[in-house]
Amino acid sequence: MIDYDQMVAEARDELFACVETRGFSNAEIDLVHRSYALAEEAHRPQRRKSGEPYILHPIAVAMIVANEIGLGAEPICAALLHDVVEDTDHTVKEIREMFGDDVATLVNVVTKKKKKHYETSLQVDNYKQMLQSIHYDIRALLIKLADRLHNMRTLKSMLPHKQLKIASETDYFYAPLANRLGLYQVKTELENLSFRYRQPNEYEEVKGYITRYVEDHSAAAEAWMKPIREVLALRGINATVVCEPRSAYSIWAKMKEDSISLSEVEHIRIVHINYDNWRELEMNEKEMALFIYSLITNIYSEKPSSMNSYLDVSKDNNYRSLHCKLMGNEGRWMEVHIASTEMREISNHGCLVGRERNVERWIDNFRRVLKELAEQGKGGGFMEDIRSTFYEDDIYVFTPKGKMVILPKGATAIDFAFEIHNKVGEQMKFAIINDKLCSVKTKLQKGDRVRIGTDDSPSIDKSWLDHVITYKARAGIRRYLNRHPDKVDDLVLCPDCKPISGDEVIGFRLPDGRIEVHQCHCRKAIEMAAQAGDSIEKEVDMREFEQMSFPVRFHVESVNKDQLLLTIVSLVSEKLKLSLGNLHSTIEDDIVSTDFEVFVHSHNDISQLKDALTALPHVYGLRTQF
């Protein structure tokens, strides 16, 4: 039998011990103790879904706030009390009288406000409330991140449809927020936990692959790092050199972004070189990073144009490092990140370190856009505008006169035009990118030089909304198209992710009673689950769609051998009884690249064909695209 009293006592004592080692004053330590006493008394009758005493949750959140994020005594107290007002009879006024304005204000911000009618939905209103807290103090957002992190760590006890709702919220809102605030460890764990519950089969597949890969290649990695450690020591550089696997989520995301298989992911691990005695060697951090870069590229060949510097122009979340790719001892490129230990500390604690840098500018921009959205009374598009503008990584592009323009990754020439001026966006006709004529919908890359061609008469097309991601561009286009209401999609199956029988799917009950079905990884589904989780259908039966056919494109890389095309046609048409669409094949230096389209009924068809193709003796690469 579980001794819950002992569990609570151990968790409480661990928190108190952590607080006492943080160098707090006696008054601050007493404040934490008194906050715990109220939380324990208020939550004493309550239990979590797992059966554990509820008080274990606020203790755990307070530990994350204290130990993993590193906030002070008042936020720790607010973490202990964060559910007291929402779930018990205690009030914010009582907390203010007992613990002061600072603790009370933080508790008030993180307490969900119950309403009879929500502006958009309960979830979106909660997001708005949290984001508005940035006007007061960013610590409230950090407490909510700690709360979400512990909820994700204990999500196993929830029902499957609740797991999907909470995991989708995490992937859609909380993980990107942690990334923007520079909390990389929190961001990575949230992404992985969300992936685990949204797509358990794919998660286990990727996680298992990483485990096997690390076991098989750890000796080679150690041998590869040894000369680097030796040359750094010889030069008097105090540095750690370690090889760490990438997260399951980041590898899966890379697979989806590049439409590649697990075996084709090039960088399963990253080599981190972290140095700390640059001052003693009379260098600055940038000089030391470049010096280490020169030393290691003398040992190993560098992949051409692979060096990326985030030393001078760091990301908005304060991330600073130097990246490059070097040839490994197993014939594959090794990705290397070079940073000082102080830079690594910034990656762990993000916005809490070096607030005078880019994060402060990001917070100021956030406040400005929140104010503009409030003035415009935006409803349904609120989260879309916020997320696309502030949660994506940045790229830096340039005007013809060399002025730097910062845009989210994935931004197009339309976003660039509206960033310059609303009138430029409305009148743009084309873009000149690096002296090449391009469509206005062209995605921009880091370092692009962009010139916008305009016409006196506005010519905005409604389709532009599908090709912009910044708030300014969306707002400008909407102002121009405000008399064109959105159409309701008549499809039952999502046209973006194209779910078929055998996929891990999620369904949503639409206002007209229909169910819209998505694959669990579909971005639209994640957004819907994160903003309208109550519309999730507990069960979706895809078997009724097995009579329908869906096009899937295959790309095969093989050595040139006779009758390969005939073999492919035979496998598809005769063995699997599937319909074959377009087929195109090219040969260069005895390497055959074959692209063809197959109409399938379920994932079982895809799996059978993939197994049959990979079993062919001269096939070395296979990709699918829906």
Side-chain angles (χ1 to χ4, degrees):
M1 185 175 178
I2 301 175
D3 189 341
Y4 285 125
D5 290 339
Q6 183 179 351
M7 286 179 62
V8 171
E10 290 175 354
R12 175 203 62 205
D13 292 346
E14 183 182 7
L15 174 63
F16 288 170
C18 175
V19 168
E20 289 172 3
T21 61
R22 289 283 308 279
F24 292 156
S25 66
N26 290 334
E28 290 173 322
I29 293 174
D30 177 66
L31 191 70
V32 173
H33 282 239
R34 290 192 291 111
S35 297
Y36 169 78
L38 177 61
E40 194 280 330
E41 177 271 325
H43 292 302
R44 190 174 297 155
Q46 300 173 337
R47 291 288 185 271
R48 303 198 80 199
K49 294 289 185 181
S50 61
E52 297 176 344
Y54 194 88
I55 187 61
L56 288 172
H57 170 63
I59 294 174
V61 174
M63 272 298 293
I64 294 171
V65 167
N67 194 39
E68 298 182 46
I69 299 181
L71 295 180
E74 287 81 5
I76 294 172
C77 295
L80 283 167
L81 300 168
H82 77 276
D83 281 334
V84 165
V85 174
E86 186 175 332
D87 295 341
T88 75
D89 294 332
H90 292 282
T91 65
V92 173
K93 181 180 179 182
E94 289 180 65
I95 291 176
R96 179 170 284 105
E97 292 171 351
M98 296 176 68
F99 306 106
D101 289 340
D102 198 26
V103 174
T105 302
L106 290 171
V107 171
N108 186 49
V109 169
V110 299
T111 299
K112 294 177 184 177
K113 304 299 187 294
K114 297 178 181 178
K115 307 176 184 177
K116 290 184 177 180
H117 302 287
Y118 295 97
E119 183 179 337
T120 303
S121 71
L122 171 61
Q123 289 164 292
V124 173
D125 277 25
N126 287 336
Y127 299 150
K128 286 186 177 182
Q129 180 184 323
M130 281 183 278
L131 293 174
Q132 291 292 349
S133 71
I134 210 168
H135 289 295
Y136 166 72
D137 196 325
I138 201 169
R139 295 177 301 168
L141 280 178
L142 299 177
I143 294 169
K144 287 302 297 185
L145 281 173
D147 180 33
R148 176 52 54 125
L149 180 56
H150 185 251
N151 282 333
M152 289 300 296
R153 286 173 176 174
T154 56
L155 194 58
K156 187 176 181 180
S157 61
M158 303 291 287
L159 294 172
H161 70 283
K162 289 290 187 181
Q163 291 176 346
L164 271 175
K165 172 180 175 291
I166 295 171
S168 295
E169 290 176 348
T170 300
D171 184 80
Y172 176 74
F173 179 79
Y174 292 96
L177 178 61
N179 178 56
R180 261 313 199 179
L181 296 176
L183 300 168
Y184 281 102
Q185 290 180 338
V186 173
K187 166 247 187 188
T188 299
E189 186 174 356
L190 288 175
E191 287 176 338
N192 278 326
L193 288 168
S194 173
F195 181 31
R196 174 184 175 185
Y197 287 103
R198 286 188 298 105
Q199 294 153 264
N201 295 337
E202 292 190 59
Y203 172 82
E204 291 298 333
E205 180 185 3
V206 176
K207 183 181 177 183
Y209 182 87
I210 295 171
T211 300
R212 293 189 299 272
Y213 188 96
V214 171
E215 290 175 352
D216 294 342
H217 299 274
S218 59
E222 284 297 318
W224 189 84
M225 291 185 291
K226 184 178 179 182
I228 295 177
R229 294 188 180 115
E230 290 174 348
V231 74
L232 295 179
L234 183 64
R235 295 289 187 145
I237 299 173
N238 185 21
T240 60
V241 183
V242 296
C243 186
E244 298 176 349
R246 293 170 62 188
S247 70
Y249 178 87
S250 69
I251 290 176
W252 173 83
K254 182 67 174 175
M255 292 166 57
K256 296 301 177 184
E257 180 182 357
D258 294 345
S259 298
I260 58 178
S261 64
L262 257 175
S263 60
E264 292 175 291
V265 177
E266 190 170 22
H267 304 295
I268 303 297
R269 304 159 301 174
I270 296 175
V271 174
H272 292 275
I273 302 176
N274 298 127
Y275 53 90
D276 62 12
N277 64 332
W278 45 277
R279 293 185 182 88
E280 289 84 343
L281 296 177
E282 298 182 346
M283 296 185 187
N284 59 39
E285 289 177 292
K286 176 182 176 181
E287 290 171 337
M288 177 65 86
L290 291 171
F291 182 48
I292 293 173
Y293 166 77
S294 69
L295 292 175
I296 64 177
T297 51
N298 285 337
I299 302 173
Y300 297 115
S301 299
E302 181 185 9
K303 185 177 183 180
S305 304
S306 71
M307 196 267 270
N308 279 308
S309 175
Y310 300 101
L311 299 173
D312 291 323
V313 185
S314 65
K315 298 182 179 181
D316 257 12
N317 50 20
N318 275 352
Y319 178 84
R320 297 174 65 218
S321 184
L322 189 151
H323 298 181
C324 63
K325 296 179 177 66
L326 305 179
M327 178 53 69
N329 51 2
E330 296 180 295
R332 301 183 68 167
W333 297 110
M334 301 285 282
E335 183 166 347
V336 181
H337 294 182
I338 305 170
S340 70
T341 52
E342 291 183 19
M343 294 176 186
R344 196 72 186 266
E345 177 70 8
I346 290 173
S347 293
N348 290 338
H349 293 290
C351 59
L352 304 178
V353 182
R355 284 286 297 279
E356 72 280 0
R357 298 182 63 86
N358 288 343
V359 168
E360 192 64 50
R361 178 176 63 83
W362 177 79
I363 291 172
D364 289 340
N365 287 341
F366 215 142
R367 290 183 178 127
R368 175 181 57 79
V369 171
L370 287 172
K371 183 175 182 291
E372 291 176 5
L373 286 172
E375 290 173 351
Q376 294 182 20
K378 297 301 293 181
F382 176 86
M383 283 307 302
E384 182 182 22
D385 289 332
I386 290 294
R387 192 179 187 282
S388 62
T389 299
F390 290 115
Y391 290 168
E392 300 290 344
D393 283 338
D394 287 334
I395 59 171
Y396 298 83
V397 296
F398 298 88
T399 69
K401 294 184 178 180
K403 179 183 177 182
M404 180 188 295
V405 178
I406 303 174
L407 293 169
K409 182 179 179 181
T412 65
I414 305 174
D415 291 298
F416 176 88
F418 278 99
E419 187 69 24
I420 299 302
H421 196 278
N422 190 63
K423 186 176 180 181
V424 176
E426 287 188 352
Q427 296 183 346
M428 75 179 300
K429 290 288 188 180
F430 59 88
I432 303 294
I433 303 174
N434 302 326
D435 300 322
K436 180 181 178 182
L437 180 64
C438 298
S439 162
V440 299
K441 299 174 183 177
T442 303
K443 286 188 178 182
L444 301 178
Q445 305 297 322
K446 181 175 63 176
D448 281 347
R449 292 177 292 108
V450 186
R451 179 168 70 86
I452 301 300
T454 61
D455 191 275
D456 290 340
S457 58
S459 60
I460 290 180
D461 187 276
K462 186 176 181 180
S463 66
W464 285 16
L465 283 172
D466 297 325
H467 298 275
V468 295
I469 63 174
T470 63
Y471 161 71
K472 281 188 177 180
R474 289 187 187 280
I477 295 170
R478 285 175 182 148
R479 280 193 295 267
Y480 186 76
L481 301 174
N482 60 358
R483 294 188 179 180
H484 296 77
D486 295 333
K487 293 182 179 180
V488 177
D489 195 341
D490 293 325
L491 295 178
V492 175
L493 300 179
C494 173
D496 297 328
C497 65
K498 302 179 178 66
I500 63 176
S501 181
D503 282 332
E504 293 179 317
V505 298
I506 182 173
F508 297 88
R509 179 72 63 176
L510 300 178
D512 61 8
R514 293 176 301 129
I515 297 175
E516 186 171 282
V517 183
H518 303 258
Q519 292 192 50
C520 285
H521 66 73
C522 176
R523 295 306 308 177
K524 184 180 178 183
I526 294 171
E527 292 175 10
M528 292 175 71
Q531 299 185 65
D534 292 337
S535 68
I536 294 176
E537 283 293 307
K538 296 182 181 180
E539 295 183 5
V540 176
D541 189 353
M542 289 289 292
R543 288 176 296 179
E544 63 181 282
F545 298 107
E546 289 185 358
Q547 301 306 313
M548 299 174 61
S549 62
F550 304 86
V552 178
R553 289 188 292 275
F554 282 76
H555 176 83
V556 177
E557 297 282 347
S558 61
V559 177
N560 186 20
K561 292 294 179 182
D562 293 338
Q563 299 185 329
L564 174 66
L565 295 184
L566 182 61
T567 302
I568 291 176
V569 172
S570 176
L571 280 174
V572 174
S573 302
E574 297 180 16
K575 184 176 181 180
L576 298 178
K577 308 297 182 184
L578 299 174
S579 297
L580 185 65
N582 295 326
L583 187 150
H584 178 72
S585 185
T586 59
I587 302 175
E588 184 176 354
D589 297 330
D590 268 350
I591 303 300
V592 183
S593 297
T594 305
D595 294 280
F596 59 94
E597 189 175 56
V598 177
F599 292 87
V600 302
H601 303 288
S602 69
H603 249 287
N604 185 51
D605 291 341
I606 300 175
S607 298
Q608 288 188 52
L609 182 52
K610 288 174 69 174
D611 290 344
L613 290 171
T614 54
L616 296 177
H618 303 292
V619 170
Y620 288 90
L622 174 64
R623 293 199 299 272
T624 58
Q625 184 178 357
F626 293 83

